[in-house]
Amino acid sequence: MTLLYHTRVRAHSRIALLLFAASLAFQASFILLDAFVSDEGIVLVASHDVASGRLLYRDINVPLTPAVYWLQGAVFALFGSDFAVSRALVALMNALGVVAVFQLARLFL
C-alpha cells in the first residue's frame, strides 16, 4: 500500500474521531435537562422493567423494536435507572451513528 493511502486513512480516522467527539459533546449538553420528549418516558419505564426481569411483549406492551429496550435495560442493570444514564447512552449511540454515516459517505463520495 502506498504512503498516500496510509495518509488518507489517518486523515479520515482523525475526522471520524473529531466528528465523534463533537457529536458526543453536543449531545452531552442535553443529559441533565428535564424530560422533554414524550417517548423518553415510555422507553425508560419499559427499559427499567426489562432490567428488572420482565419480558417484552408478554409483560410489557411496547411500541418500538426490542433492541432499544434490551440495550437500555442492560445499561440500567449496570449503572442504575436514571435519566442521565439513558441520555448518556443516547448521546453515545448518536455519536457512533454520526461516525457510521461519515464512513458510509466516504465510500460513495
Side-chain angles (χ1 to χ4, degrees):
M1 302 222 175
T2 66
L3 180 61
L4 180 60
Y5 174 78
H6 290 296
T7 303
R8 278 188 175 166
V9 168
R10 282 194 298 265
H12 290 149
S13 297
R14 286 188 201 118
I15 292 170
L17 185 61
L18 180 64
L19 286 170
F20 178 80
S23 177
L24 193 60
F26 175 73
Q27 293 283 325
S29 68
F30 297 103
I31 288 175
L32 298 177
L33 293 178
D34 290 336
F36 60 92
V37 178
S38 61
D39 291 344
E40 187 175 30
I42 295 168
V43 172
L44 290 176
V45 169
S47 299
H48 175 76
D49 290 345
V50 167
S52 301
R54 295 180 72 198
L55 296 176
L56 292 175
Y57 310 113
R58 187 190 80 183
D59 302 324
I60 311 164
N61 184 18
V62 291
L64 301 174
T65 58
V68 172
Y69 304 104
W70 291 337
L71 179 61
Q72 192 87 18
V75 170
F76 279 176
L78 290 172
F79 301 106
S81 299
D82 190 57
F83 274 113
V85 172
S86 173
R87 290 181 181 165
L89 176 63
V90 169
L92 178 65
M93 297 307 291
N94 285 343
L96 289 172
V98 166
V99 172
V101 168
F102 169 72
Q103 294 295 353
L104 286 171
R106 263 187 352 106
L107 295 175
F108 297 104
L109 298 178

